[in-house]
Each structure stands twice: as C-alpha cells, then as structure tokens.
Amino acid sequence: MSIDVGEVIAVRGTQVTLRIFEESSLETLFYEGDKYKGVSIREYLSIKRGFRQIVCMVEGEFLDENRFDNDDNKKQYIRKVEVKPIGYFEQNSFYDGVKVMPMIKDKAYLLNEKQVGQIFSQGADGTFKIGNMLKEDIPVFLPWSKIFNSHIGIFGNTGSGKSNTLTKLYTELFDSFEDVIKGKSTFLLIDFNGEYVGNQLIKDTSNKKSYKLKTRDDSGDKFPLPSSQIWNTEILALLFQATANTQTPFLNRVVEGREKFKSNPDSLAIYIKKTFEHCFVSTSQNNDSLNQLKVIAKHIGAEDLEEKLSKIFWYDQGGKFACHKPPPSTSWEFFDTQDGYDANLKPIVDTIDVEDISVFDELLVRINLQLLRDLNNGYIQYEHIQPLLKRVESAMTDLIKIFNVSDNAESPFKLLNVISLRDCNQATKKIVPLLLAKMFYQEHRNSVTNPVDKTLHFIIDEAHNILSQQSNREHESWKDYRLEMFEEIIKEGRKFGMFLTLSSQRPADISPTIMSQLHNFFIHRLVNDKDLFLIDNTISTLDRMSKSLIPNLAKGSCVVTGTAFDLPIVMQVDYIENNEHRPASDDVNLQKLWSENVEVDFF
Amino acid sequence: MSNSCIPLSDIYQQKINFIIGSGASHGLFPTLWLPLKDSNDETKTETLETLATKLEQGGCKNHLTLLFMYYFRKVIEPAINFNPNDFLIDNPCERDSSSDDCLKRKVLDNYETFIDSIVRLLQQKSAFSRRCNVFTTNYDGCIPFVADYLLKKNSLDFVLNDGATGFLDKTLSAKNFSNYVCRSGVFGKNSTDIPQINLINLHGSAYWRKSADVIKVDYSSHEADVVIPESVGTSLAQLDSVLNDATKNTRDVLAIDVQLSSQEIESFWNSYNQLPIVNPTKWKFHETVFEEHYYQMLRLLSYQLEEANSVLISFAFSFADEHILNLVKRSLSNPKLKVYICCFNDQEKAVMHERFKGYRNVELIALDGKVLDFDAFNETVFNADLLRDGE
C-alpha cells in the first residue's frame, strides 16, 4: 500500500474532512523507494473504500479549534484538511467522476508520483509530451489522438507563452508523426507577425513551405491559387466584399458567362469585339460605357485601341459618340451605324489579342464587359455596381502582389504551409485568411470521403485579428459574413476532418459562437476580467481551483482542459531551447540592444 | 533505479545519514583496492580484504602476517602520522595541478566542501532537528581536521560530535551521540540550535587509544607501537611490487619468499592487535572495551536506519563488509527509509545492483561513463551550491 496519512472525520456533500497525522507535513516522503508529496493544498490523496481508491484533491487545511487538554494542560491541535473527490482508481486504472463517497474512519493515503501521473495521462499512450505538471513536475502525456481531432484554443496575455505552447504542440506532433501523416493531412498556419517562417515546427524542412506575402511591393512570395478558385462567385464576392442583393448576382453572371463559352476558343476575344460593336452600333449609346471600354482596352494591352478611345468623346446633340477625323480632314467620325463602326473602329478592334492576358486582367475585363452588357440591356443600375468596380480595381492591385493564379491541377501544398501576413496591409490581413479558409474548406469538403480519409488543420496565431467582433471600421454585413464563415467551419468542419487551432490574447474579443465550439483549451495567464468571465462561461470543464490560478500563472505554464481531458491539468510547457525552432516572438533584449554600438562617434 | 544526483529538496526534511568509505580519502591514503588479478577469475581484481581472507583460509600464516605488515605500513601508519597542517594552510595550489601535495590538498578541499554542504543542508531543517550522522569506515582523521579548520576560519557555525567528552583526556562513549547543542539567549527567552554532525567511526580510528577501561581520543597522538622486524624489509618491497602489478595474480603473492620466525610473528600480532581498528578481513577486537563500543556504533547505525523518514547516502563505500551490508539490508525492510548508493563506476554499479537487487528503496547513483569521485560527488551528486551565500 502506501503512506497512511490520516482518516476521514466528516463528509458533507462532496466536501470531505480528514484528520491528518503528524509527519505528513513533510515536503517529500519516501515509501518503498517511491516519492510522495506531503499533504498540502492542491495535492492528491486517496481514500480507500473497499477495492476502490477514491482520489481527492486537497482544497484547504486548518487547525481544529477544538483542542483537548492533556494531563499537563498542554494544548494540542489536530491538523485537518478539506478534500474534494475527483475520481477513483479501480483495478489500477483511473476513472473520473464521483461514484462512491468516503465514509467516516476510512483511511487516507498519499498518492505516489506514478499514480498522480496516471490520473492526468489517461487515454495517452505515453509518447506525446509537451511539458510537466506545474506542481508535481511529473511529465504529462497528452492524448494526442483526442486533441488533434478537435478545435483547440490557446489563450493568454501577451508574453505568457502562447506562441511557445503552440509551437511545442505542433513541433511535438511533427517530431513524432511527420512521416506518417504526410500525404494524409495538410496544415495551414496563418501567421500575422512572421513568427513561423523559419525552421520552426517541422522536422524535415522539405515538408514545409512558407509564403511571405507582401503588399507593399512586388518582392514577396506569391501564394498559388488554382484558377478555379478565382472563377467562383462566392470567393469573388468575398474578395471584393460584394453586397448580396445586386453585386453578388452580378458577379455570378460574370462567372457563368465565362463558364458558358469556355469550350469555345477565343471566347473572350469574340466577347470583347461583340461588346465593342454592341456599344457603338447601338441606337441608344451610353455615355458611361466609354469609361468601361477604356478600362478594358487598358487591361487587354491594346494600345492602338486605347489611343483611339482617348480621342472619342460624347456628342451631346446627337446623343452619341464622335471622333475627329485625322487631319487634314475637319469632319467627324460617327459610329452609330454598322458602316460607321466597320469603317472607323472595327479594324482596330479586330486586332485585339487576349491570348496572354493574366487571370486578374481577364477578371477585370469580364466584369467590365458584363457591366456594359447589363447596362445596355437595362438589367442594372450603374450606381449599384460602380462601388464594386472601384473595390475590384483597388483590391486587384494587392491581389496581384500576393497571388499566383495557375490552372495547374496538381496541388502545390506541402504538409505544412505557413502564410506570413507580416508585410501585408490591414485589408489583406483580413481577407486572405478568410479566402484561404473558404477555399481550403470548400475544396476539402468536396474531396473528402466518408469516413474521413484526410484532414485539414487550420492554425491561426493571433486569431483576434480576424475573429474579432469588436472591429468598428468594418461594414456590419461584411463582418458578419467573415465570422459566419469561420463559425461554419468550427461548427461543421469537424465532421469533414477540418480542425481549427486558435491562439489569441483577447479571448473576449472572439465571437462567442466560435469560443463555445472549441473543444480543448490551453489557458495561460489572463488578467482581464472580461477574458476571465468569458473563459468562466464558455469552458464547462474548468474547475474552480484551476480557474483561480489563471491570473497568477507563470510564463509558460497553463491550464489544460477540454474534452480530451477528464480533469483540468496545470502544466508547465517545455521551453523550446533551440533558437531556430522557437517562434520569432522573443522579448526584446534591451540590455543587449542598448549596450551594443557603444562606440558612438562624438566628434 | 539509477539517477545522477541526490535531490536536496527531497531529502532535507528527512533524517540524514551518510556512510563514507575509503574512496573518499583516496589521494591521501590508499584504498583497499589492488590492481592484482584474482588467480581463479582473471576478470576480477583482488582487494586487501579478499586476499587476506584467502591467505587466512589457506593457512599461510607467514604471508598473512607479511600482508598485514604491509597493510600497516601502507594504510594505517600514514593515517596515524598524517598531519593536516601540511596541507590545510592556505597555500596557493592550482586546482588542476597534479603535484602530490596538491592532490592531497584537493582531497581535504573536497572534505571541506562536503562538510559545508551538509551544514548548509542542516540549516534548512526545522529547529531542533538540525543534525545528521556521518558513519565512516575510515581510520583517518580527515573529517575532524577539516571541521577544526572550518571552525577556526569561523565561516560556518556547526558542531562536530565525535562521541568524545572530556578536557585533558577525551574519552569516547556512544551515549554522547545523543548530545545536542542548543544556544539560548541570556534571559532564556529564545533558543536556537546549532547544526550538528555526529561522526561515527565504524571501524575505529587511528586516534583512539585504550586506557584502562575507556577509549581515549587524541588527535595529536602520532605513535603506534607495532613491531615490524627490520629483516622483512625486502619481502615487503617484493610484496608491494607484486600487489601493485596488474599482470600478476594471487599465486604470485604466495611465491614470495618470507622468512619470519614464530616469535617475530607473535610480537607483530600482539602489538598490531592493540590497534583499535577493524581489520579488513573481519571484525575482531581483542579488547572488550573496543568491542563494546563497536557494537554500540553498529547498533546506532541500525537504529538510525529503522527510523521513519530516514535517508542513507553511501559514498565511496563498497558494502564489502558483510556485517554492515547485512545490517543495512535488514533495515531496508523499513519502507520509509531511502538509500542512495553512489557507485564509483559502471562496474561498481553492476556489483551494487547485484547486491541490492529487489530492494525498492535503494537508488543507485552513477554518472554514465564517468567516474563518481569526490570531485564529481561534490559537483553533481550532492551539490549544495544553491544553499551557499554568494560571496
């Protein structure tokens, strides 16, 4: 057996009081070579009840006021501790939950380190270790199979060790299983601060690809985007923040129009030519369309046409387009008849060649073409679509810098893909994660079989950047859309084998729907009342004792709780010693920074 | 069941006992280990113990006597004549210098660190339990000398209790190990205790002398009247060279020509047996006074190990003494006892593993591939650096 330290003297509800014998106040005790911890707060005791051992956690201790007077009138106090049952051992395996309660006079024993380790390592096969228990210093093995098929949340104030935990978690995963999971799972890490673009996480660097996206200039990496993703109404709507009522249907027409004539070679060129003809030959020419035509000419790279168009102006009296004939003639050219068009513009329009046009240019051209057609047909109001055009144009300048669209069917993605948004502007930072989430989620959902044969893991460091409800700058509907997208992933994704890992310093900012759907939590120090309140309300598996620890946790220690764990564990995550494998988020060493360059030239 | 350090935080509240063997004084005094090969098993080497046992069982009286003469000359006499003042003076000695004096100085330095570690650890214990026992099978006076030096330096407040009381004549008694020094304020309003190390010489000491029916302790005494005839000089030299030759074996010892008259043998043994020390072969005191004290010391060891929450740390001790081994083994049934055994090297670890197989409360301490000498013991195994004040 083990060290007998006391006996039960009172049971009230789930509150059990023990009388403790003298020597158990030592810090460490040895029994048959095993190490035991003395009885102090948050230690574990077992109370023997038949063949079961009820495991209890010590919640408080006190000296009993009732003292008995000895013969020599010396006062003697009894040390009492209050414990709460948390589970029981039966036939050497631990089960959580209270099934039987201790009774008075039952003996209490200390639990040795092995048993304490056993309590916290159920379901784990002893291979996956990211740290030790904070107090007992016993290695904790996590049930990795239960963790990685769930949504994970890593929370904590800045500097509390979130990034280290995230890194350690995945480093350990890749260390243990990299060869096995290759080809079966894809990991996608959204890295807002460029912390993971080095050799972090992965063992074999050939399995990792970092994309350092840059919007400032054209020097950054380009993220490969299958063209099928671009010609997708939902994605386009997302990229250009199209409104649901008019702009999205409009985009849909653009996409469908392309799809319809896709098999036809030169479909775009023919479409452009026809539209030009249509615009000029029409009996009711439209002043606005000239602008669109100019944009089209510019994007297809037809310089002759551009020059010609620049000379065309609106002839108010006739309500049509006109153009000066080249000197010495002083008369005007008109295009409103077929002959006029054939004579003056058709030769130039016919030279249009769109073979080498880029996808983004094609997109812009098609949007403008569609607009012209729709305007001429009177389907739409120009004012409704025009904001979209402006957004498309401005978004396009960014998108060209960060995406590389290709028709290549083969997936260019490695086991781990890191997308660094460090050098991107705010708008891109918001759109890209959403686009990727949507793209990968749809693609994954469409290709996955039942039962799930592959998984997709979406890791978002600093998740409050995109999952925040608090942003005031954004349009309400767009924000809703963004959150809805992630809410859908988090609600439905698990069934398709798509899992989110969020790391954030402001859990209170993150949408409550998302928070409540997370399964497992690694909670570092949090001091903000709002955050604590949220944690308290959304995590059902957190107990009072562990919760009270959260504001006082040291760097790197965290409370681990969730569906994969029967009991909350307070653990110290191993610090990643190797500089190369640590996320680039270390504190600034001012001592070093300011002590260097001492040799300042004073003269 | 092996580890490479003794966690101070785990043991400091326990009742601490040390057992120190001859390896600790290695450098100052030779150990019982010999390079000589065992003639029955070439993979093993002899020790003075095994050799003496063999000679005695074989009835080789002459060779046995010669061996003990050698033993006296080589091991006991240097311990008796040892003058620590030659080394303890603050002479600058390079830490890694290999000169003989520096090596000896280093041993004393290690003792100093060791005692310092113990005292710092004792200071962490709760009031009125700041004491520990150091059992040793060595006859030398290293611990008392170093303790004396430390007390003179006035850097550490502690008491070394060697079991002796008295002023002009210090006499030994086992009951003195229960003495405990308490320092109280002038008005009796407060009292503190001073860390105390009980030094128990399990195999006697070179500084003990019998006087009537008591044992006197005199650290300034440097004489021993053991009669070794001049004529054996060449035989002793021969024996010395054979014993320290790794290519020779047990048979070569018997081949040595020894010419001793029975009178010489008798007068040697008569004088030798006056020494208050336990021979390496087996314990045998011819004086009841010594014998009684010997029993008392062993009983003290036994009692200490039977206590609840007790820890025994062995260092440089091979448990080759059957009676001490059996005594410790018996006490291992005490589930609240924890024993740490420091093994000099992998070979010794294997031996210890064999000796203590099946005892769950024994933990072997070994440094993988490295030897665990006194330096390593102070540096990694029993390191109280964190308890020392930064100076």
Side-chain angles (χ1 to χ4, degrees), chain A residues 3-4 23 25-35 37 112, chain B residues 9-14 308-309 311 335-338 340 360-361:
Chain A
I3 306 176
D4 177 7
E23 63 184 27
S25 56
L26 294 185
E27 202 178 318
T28 315
L29 294 112
F30 291 103
Y31 195 86
E32 293 193 331
D34 290 330
K35 207 163 91 177
K37 294 263 179 177
N112 65 25
Chain B
S9 60
D10 286 348
I11 62 162
Y12 81 101
Q13 284 179 321
Q14 316 267 324
N309 302 322
V311 162
K336 295 187 178 179
L337 169 71
K338 177 84 178 177
Y340 293 97
R360 298 178 59 195
N361 35 5

Side-chain angles (χ1 to χ4, degrees), chain A residues 298-354:
Chain A
K298 187 175 160 222
H299 280 273
I300 57 177
E303 285 166 17
D304 295 347
L305 186 60
E306 227 180 316
E307 203 193 322
K308 181 77 185 169
L309 288 174
S310 70
K311 288 178 189 152
I312 294 173
F313 56 87
W314 182 248
Y315 177 59
D316 268 334
Q317 281 168 331
K320 57 187 172 187
F321 291 112
C323 177
H324 289 288
K325 276 189 178 163
S329 168
T330 52
S331 61
W332 291 2
E333 288 173 355
F334 291 102
F335 311 98
D336 54 341
T337 60
Q338 189 68 43
D339 292 343
Y341 175 76
D342 283 351
N344 297 320
L345 207 57
K346 194 159 187 284
I348 304 174
V349 171
D350 278 347
T351 62
I352 286 174
D353 175 25
V354 288

Side-chain angles (χ1 to χ4, degrees), chain B residues 1-6 314 319 338-343 346 348-357 359-367 372 381:
Chain B
M1 57 175 190
S2 114
N3 212 330
S4 65
C5 86
I6 297 171
S314 94
F319 285 96
K338 177 84 178 177
V339 178
Y340 293 97
I341 297 177
C342 301
C343 309
D346 292 342
E348 194 180 321
K349 189 178 159 189
V351 172
M352 291 299 178
H353 186 78
E354 193 57 36
R355 270 190 187 137
F356 290 98
K357 208 162 54 181
Y359 292 99
R360 298 178 59 195
N361 35 5
V362 175
E363 187 166 327
L364 299 183
I365 306 280
L367 305 175
L372 202 170
V381 179

Side-chain angles (χ1 to χ4, degrees), chain B residues 9 15 38 44-45 55 73 113 117 124 126 188 217 231 235 243 263 265 282 289 291 307 342 345 369 375 379-380:
Chain B
S9 60
K15 292 166 187 119
D38 189 336
K44 283 186 183 161
T45 57
L55 291 176
R73 275 278 156 81
T113 315
S117 296
Q124 303 299 314
S126 57
V217 181
S231 58
S235 305
L243 291 181
Q263 199 204 341
I265 292 176
K282 50 189 171 179
V289 179
E291 197 157 345
E307 288 225 41
C342 301
N345 51 23
D375 289 337
E379 219 162 84
T380 53

Side-chain angles (χ1 to χ4, degrees), chain A residues 246 250 253 370-375 377-385:
Chain A
T246 50
F250 171 77
R253 284 200 296 279
Q370 187 68 43
L371 179 66
L372 288 173
R373 287 295 178 106
D374 285 359
L375 280 175
N377 293 340
Y379 284 174
I380 50 163
Q381 295 283 310
Y382 184 67
E383 292 72 35
H384 287 159
I385 305 299

Side-chain angles (χ1 to χ4, degrees), chain A residues 398-446:
Chain A
D398 287 342
L399 294 178
I400 290 170
K401 287 176 196 154
I402 56 177
F403 285 116
N404 176 22
V405 182
S406 63
D407 294 318
N408 201 345
E410 200 187 332
S411 165
F413 298 108
K414 299 267 176 73
L415 176 63
L416 172 68
N417 305 286
V418 177
I419 295 106
S420 161
L421 299 174
R422 184 197 161 113
D423 295 317
C424 290
N425 53 23
Q426 277 302 324
T428 313
K429 275 185 183 173
K430 296 229 184 227
I431 287 181
V432 170
L434 186 52
L435 179 70
L436 295 180
K438 181 151 188 82
M439 185 176 115
F440 276 85
Y441 178 55
Q442 270 178 350
E443 141 71 57
H444 182 77
R445 222 172 74 163
N446 295 338

Side-chain angles (χ1 to χ4, degrees), chain B residues 172 208-216 276 285-297:
Chain B
L172 202 59
W208 290 359
R209 294 289 176 274
K210 191 175 98 68
S211 163
D213 49 358
V214 292
I215 302 171
K216 280 204 308 187
F285 284 108
H286 289 257
E287 287 294 339
T288 44
V289 179
F290 288 133
E291 197 157 345
E292 196 246 332
H293 189 69
Y294 179 63
Y295 273 126
Q296 293 277 14
M297 293 185 297

